[in-house]
Each structure stands twice: as C-alpha cells, then as structure tokens.
Amino acid sequence: MVVAVDQRSNVNGDSGASARKEEGFDPSAQPPFKIGDIRAAIPKYCWVRSPLRSMSYVARDICAVAALAIAALYFDSWIIWPLYWAAQGTLFWAIFVLGHDCGHGSFSDIPLLNSVVGHIIHSFILVPYHGWRISHRTHHQNHGHVENDESWVPLPKKLYKNLPYNERMFRYTVPLPMLAYPLYLWYRCPGKKGSHFNPYSSLFDPSERKLIATSTTCWSIMVATLIYLSSLVGPVTVLKVYGVPYIIFVMWLDTVTYLHHHGHNEKLPWYRGKEWSYLRGGLTTIDRDYGIFNNIHHDIGTHVIHHLFPQIPLYHLVEATKAAKHVLGRYYREPKTSGAIPIHLVESLVASLKKDHYVSDTGDVVFYETDPDLYGYASEKSKIN
C-alpha cells in the first residue's frame, strides 16, 4: 500500500500522520467485516418498498409547496416573503430527495412509477431526471475513488494548481460553492467533461441516449413554462414565487451533499487503484443531524447506510442504521447532535472549505491537503489595490 501525505503541509491543522489516526484508529485500514455482514444485520422489513407510502410523501410535499405559494401571494408582504423563500426552498430540497429515491429505485418496485414521478418532481425543480440519476449512480458505484467518483471529487494537486485563481476561490469560498449545482449539471467538475443534458455526453452509454433526451425535453418544458408564466404575471412575481426558492434549494443540495463527504473532525481517506473498494469508499461517508429538518427532508442525513445500500427506502434509513452500527464499529461516525436549527454544521462547512483543497497526485491512499497561499494571495492582492 502506498500512502501519500505531504508532511510539510497541514491537514485540518494536524500533521498527515495524526490526521490518519483517530485516537489509535486508522480510518483507511481494511475493515474487519464485509458488506454482507452489514446487510445481514439490517432487518428484512427495511428493504421493503411501499409505493403507497412513498406517494404519500410526494402528496405531502406538493400540497405544502402549493399552500406556501398561495399564502405568499395572498399576503404579498416583504415581511412574509423571506420566510416563504426559506420554507419553500427547503421543500424544493425535500422534493429533490424524493426524486433521488426514484432514481435509486427505492421509491417503489415499479420502474414506470419511479420514472414518471421522478421526471415530474425533478423537472419541477429543473433537474434532468435521467441525466442526474445516471451520474449519481456513478457516484455511488465509485465513491471514495479519486479519479472515478462523480460528486464533490477531490482535485489532484497538479489539476488544482492549473486552475485559474478565480475558479479556485469560487470553489473554496463560502457561499459560492453552495451555488454550484446548476453549473455542475451543465459542465460537471474540473477535470471531467460532459453535460447532464447532452445525450452524447461521455457520462452516458449509447443505450441511454433516448433516456437523456427525454429528461432534457421535460426540463426544457419546465423552463418554457416559467418563461410563459413570466409573460403572464411578470418576471418579478415568478422570481419571488419560484426563483428565490430555487436558489435556496440549490444551497441546500450543495451544502448537504458536501457535508456527507467532507468536514469530519478528522481527515478521511480517498483511494486509488487496488486500495479502493465499494465498501471502503462507502465507509468514508458521514451521517449528519439536521435538527428539525431531518423529517422534512426525509432523513437523508442518515447517509452511510444509504450509500452502501441505496435500495433501502428513505423511511427505513434510521432503523437500518441503528441495526448496523454494531457491525460498523468505529467506521461509523456518530453525528453531532443538533439543536432545532443545525447551526453547528456551518462551522464544519466553512472549516472544510478552508482546508480541504486537493490531494496528492500519487498514492493509493490519500488525504486532503491545504493550499496555504489560497486566501493569502487574495489578502495580498487587496492590499496592493
């Protein structure tokens, strides 16, 4: 095994050696259990998918979205609008999570129902259903692999250093990275090419082109609908009712997905070559407690078991996690208990983005390293100006 850690640079404020150890525990070590051991610990009922129960959550969220929009338009007050934006954007995120389950097939055991519901609710929030579903499948199948992972992939040092300075600042300065999702859909991330909207993108197999064309068409219909509504009621009204909540939704999505794979109080490994395995990659994900939002966004914070077994419906993730923790042992990192509002996660997010910049170009087990000049350069530039 080759471990690449730059001893000269700080990793989350510690040396590379200490970052690999959590009080004597090495998170990069081969786990003493197999994925079958985890599966066997999870009760059989956790694998049961109920179309009726899943649809009840869709109905709940859609009714809430409609009620909020009607109430906001009725009161039409600048005291109400900010509250509406926060609540509606959160519900858009909850709807995304339901579409996410459709994409995994954990929404129901009826593929047609998954596809129809997934297209409707994802298109509503401007997500190309099949395009995202397929790239997200790639993420699950390759999580923790430096080159093959798909979402919030660590940049090798050489690629990082070759990025324009402004792009590096955008990627690592809050809140800018939390607005990146639409750009990711169009352009993916640095070092990867292709678009979630293009049937001929390298993201997809030739057999999937018709699926991508269908999803892009549905997305285009939603865009056309928003343009038409803007001509009827005015762009400002559409911006207030839909546009600002959409931005809040994007911030939820980027924040949650980032925190599920970054920001632990100790560094977690990323792998290459023979050191990577589906199990080892999945074990580097992190559960999070989102306070009052846990139920609203369908317990997606219970992310470790979801990553290992995406077939488990969202409403069984908590029970499955409780049942599996004794098998996972120290490879399961108990989330910090949140208050009603998960303010503590802001600190984790900011700290990670300030320190987790790139990984070594070589090595089969690597950890994030820090660019000490990233923000220093910005300070020096401001002094000169």
Side-chain angles (χ1 to χ4, degrees), residues 302-340:
T302 46
H303 201 68
V304 177
I305 289 299
H306 164 70
H307 234 284
L308 293 172
F309 305 109
Q311 308 89 349
I312 296 178
L314 51 85
Y315 42 81
H316 288 320
L317 287 175
V318 173
E319 301 102 312
T321 299
K322 289 179 180 178
K325 281 198 290 186
H326 75 280
V327 177
L328 297 172
R330 295 191 69 175
Y331 287 88
Y332 178 77
R333 300 157 187 92
E334 198 74 42
K336 182 178 180 180
T337 302
S338 174

Side-chain angles (χ1 to χ4, degrees), residues 244-302:
V244 178
Y246 172 78
I247 295 172
I248 301 297
F249 147 66
V250 167
M251 295 183 73
W252 263 113
L253 187 154
D254 281 321
T255 299
V256 171
T257 55
Y258 183 89
L259 287 173
H260 284 162
H261 306 289
H262 300 80
H264 184 52
N265 59 344
E266 297 288 349
K267 288 293 182 179
L268 297 178
W270 290 79
Y271 302 99
R272 290 187 175 101
K274 294 182 179 179
E275 289 297 330
W276 180 88
S277 71
Y278 181 83
L279 176 59
R280 293 177 83 182
L283 291 175
T284 63
T285 57
I286 309 168
D287 279 10
R288 298 290 188 180
D289 184 357
Y290 293 95
I292 62 172
F293 300 103
N294 287 327
N295 179 263
I296 295 173
H297 68 196
H298 308 291
D299 291 311
I300 197 60
T302 46

Side-chain angles (χ1 to χ4, degrees), residues 124 126 220-231 235 238 242-243:
F124 173 72
L126 296 178
S220 300
I221 291 172
M222 182 60 193
V223 171
T225 300
L226 291 172
I227 294 173
Y228 176 69
L229 288 173
S230 295
S231 69
V238 172
Y242 182 90

Side-chain angles (χ1 to χ4, degrees), residues 50-62 98 107 298:
S50 169
L52 184 61
R53 185 170 182 180
S54 296
M55 286 300 298
S56 72
Y57 291 121
V58 174
R60 181 193 79 175
D61 289 354
I62 289 177
L98 295 174
F107 185 85
H298 308 291

Side-chain angles (χ1 to χ4, degrees), residues 184-195:
Y184 165 71
L185 289 177
W186 282 104
Y187 305 108
R188 295 175 77 189
C189 30
K192 296 180 181 289
K193 296 181 180 180
S195 168

